[in-house]
């Protein structure tokens, strides 16, 4: 082992939360909570369930996609490190 590899920081690990014995990545839970909050706020502000659901679904999809991309990048850095 060289000095350089000994001083290299450990690659980051994706955070998971066990739900009913199944490990769920935190970004998935964050996207679901984000969707619920956006839907609730927009339903109150606009009074339109259709707008609230569509915008909440879009927000959740963007968060989920960003989390997936980050998780893939982390897993690739772990395999190459």
């Amino acid at each position: 082992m060289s000095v350089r590899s000994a001083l290299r920081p450990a690659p980051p690990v994706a955070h998971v939360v066990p739900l009913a014995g199944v490990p769920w990545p935190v970004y998935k839970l964050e996207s679901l909570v984000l969707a619920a909050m956006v839907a609730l706020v927009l339903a109150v502000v606009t009074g339109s369930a259709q707008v609230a659901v569509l915008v909440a679904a879009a927000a959740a999809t963007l968060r989920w996609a960003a989390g997936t991309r980050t998780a893939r990048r982390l897993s690739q850095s772990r395999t190459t490190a």
Side-chain angles (χ1 to χ4, degrees):
M1 177 189 301
S2 68
V3 173
R4 176 174 244 168
S5 64
L7 297 177
R8 186 179 326 158
V13 178
H15 299 287
V16 295
V17 175
L19 287 178
V22 178
W24 270 62
V26 172
Y27 71 87
K28 290 183 180 182
L29 298 173
E30 288 174 348
S31 69
L32 294 174
V33 170
L34 175 67
M37 290 180 3
V38 168
L40 182 71
V41 168
L42 284 178
V44 169
V45 170
T46 65
S48 171
Q50 293 89 351
V51 170
V53 168
L54 286 174
V55 174
T61 301
L62 289 174
R63 175 63 189 114
W64 194 300
T68 301
R69 186 174 56 199
T70 301
R72 283 187 184 158
R73 191 174 325 129
L74 289 175
S75 69
Q76 288 174 354
S77 70
R78 267 188 262 140
T79 58
T80 59

